[in-house]
Amino acid sequence: MGRAYTITVPASAPPGVGNVPISVSGDTYFSSRAEFQIAYDPADFDSDQFAVLGTALSNVPVLCFAPNTILWVRQDPTGGAPASTLSVLTQIGKEDY
């Protein structure tokens, strides 16, 4: 089956502000024209324990997460980017998550 939704990530903000939680399970695909940082915990941004989803998200592979994983998404606080949308397609291809 799958579950799809779109979130709006606020404009670049000082660290600790503008982090948005999302829920993902199993095979997950992200789509956007903006660049985002994702982490398992908001504190991970402070310790550089995050991944960057680049502007060429069409090249991002399908990622696999444990059931009911919460990720935190933000824009680079030093980038000055406006609010942007991120589309998420999760629980792709399986119904037993």
Side-chain angles (χ1 to χ4, degrees), residues 13-29:
V17 180
N19 301 337
V20 178
I22 61 172
S23 176
V24 294
S25 291
D27 292 343
T28 301
Y29 179 77

Side-chain angles (χ1 to χ4, degrees), residues 1-4 89-95:
M1 256 327 204
R3 183 170 55 100
L89 178 58
T90 191
Q91 297 176 346
I92 302 170
K94 294 185 179 180
E95 297 181 21

